[in-house]
Amino acid sequence: MKCAVSLTFHLFLFALASGFTDPPVPIIDSKGVALSATEEYYVTQLNGGPTAGGLQAGVERDVKCPLIVLQNYNPAFPGEKVKITMRGSNSKRIMTETPLDIEFVKKPACASSSKWVVVNEKTYPGEWLGIGGAADLGAGKKIVEGVFKIEKYLFLEGYKFVFCPKGSTRCFDFARREEKNGKRLILVNITTTPLIFEAEFVKAVKPNSSGVLF
């Protein structure tokens, strides 16, 4: 009996040391349909309040090109459309707990890319979510190497974005920091706070060949 208890205890310690990770499952949109790499989506805040709109590329402070991912303050604004793909995979189904590439469908003319990146800025309190390449950012800013993932968060239908820096054993959440033009998404150590961006994915309606939405 002692041996069995000891073995169970050691397995429990091993599980704690290894971290508990849920197995990958399909990510579901607001209509209960699995996300697809062939579709486009708006990213809004689940159960948002009066200042919780969708995500878009915007400007703040000395960043004149819209390179910062901001949550719009207008709850009626759905944001800009995004595409999500599984990194290193041709799979059309988007899964949790797996490396992803995320980008806005519309690219600003002043940016080399609309793909999401994490930016480290010497004069800003926290690493923030942006788009573009290193040449777009200017002095004092650099792109942090790593991968994005989407994980389940709190409510049954809710999700959160996380970023896993290269060489780190941890992934970090994104919290919202209020600024003049919107709420900037910044990396944080804490995993549960009202400021964490809890995402909902709304499939964008595409026009058919006649230009009519369906």
Side-chain angles (χ1 to χ4, degrees):
M1 184 68 176
K2 268 188 176 181
C3 182
V5 171
S6 177
L7 178 60
T8 302
F9 179 71
H10 281 88
L11 287 173
F12 175 72
L13 290 180
F14 175 76
L16 285 177
S18 302
F20 293 98
T21 303
D22 293 329
V25 295
I27 298 169
I28 305 301
D29 70 11
S30 60
K31 300 294 185 181
V33 179
L35 263 59
S36 170
T38 63
E39 300 291 346
E40 299 171 356
Y41 299 90
Y42 296 107
V43 182
T44 60
Q45 183 181 335
L46 182 68
N47 301 319
T51 61
L55 298 185
Q56 66 179 127
V59 297
E60 281 288 358
R61 299 169 60 241
D62 62 333
V63 181
K64 304 305 180 185
C65 179
L67 299 173
I68 303 171
V69 176
L70 298 171
Q71 180 186 18
N72 195 287
Y73 283 122
N74 182 358
F77 179 68
E80 295 179 10
K81 292 182 286 188
V82 302
K83 285 187 70 70
I84 305 172
T85 55
M86 301 271 284
R87 179 174 290 191
S89 170
N90 293 323
S91 172
K92 293 181 180 180
R93 183 163 290 187
I94 309 302
M95 310 289 286
T96 61
E97 308 290 346
T98 55
L100 301 171
D101 287 318
I102 308 168
E103 61 184 319
F104 287 118
V105 173
K106 183 180 178 181
K107 182 184 80 66
C110 53
S112 61
S113 168
S114 61
K115 185 174 289 188
W116 288 16
V117 294
V118 169
V119 178
N120 178 284
E121 181 180 354
K122 290 182 179 179
T123 59
Y124 188 83
E127 294 173 328
W128 46 270
L129 182 61
I131 65 169
D136 303 321
L137 295 170
K141 306 178 187 69
K142 65 178 183 179
I143 292 176
V144 181
E145 291 189 64
V147 296
F148 292 95
K149 296 180 182 180
I150 296 174
E151 297 179 352
K152 292 292 293 179
Y153 182 62
L154 291 184
F155 298 100
L156 181 62
E157 69 272 31
Y159 298 93
K160 65 178 180 178
F161 295 101
V162 301
F163 181 75
C164 311
K166 184 178 180 180
S168 173
T169 58
R170 289 192 59 194
C171 297
F172 298 88
D173 294 338
F174 287 96
R176 295 163 290 136
R177 186 177 190 268
E178 294 199 7
E179 298 189 6
K180 179 181 178 181
N181 297 324
K183 301 178 185 181
R184 190 187 304 218
L185 272 61
I186 61 172
L187 288 186
V188 292
N189 291 316
I190 48 180
T191 57
T192 53
T193 166
L195 298 180
I196 294 295
F197 182 79
E198 185 172 10
E200 179 179 43
F201 301 94
V202 180
K203 183 179 175 180
V205 179
K206 295 181 180 179
N208 61 22
S209 57
S210 64
V212 178
L213 298 180
F214 66 94

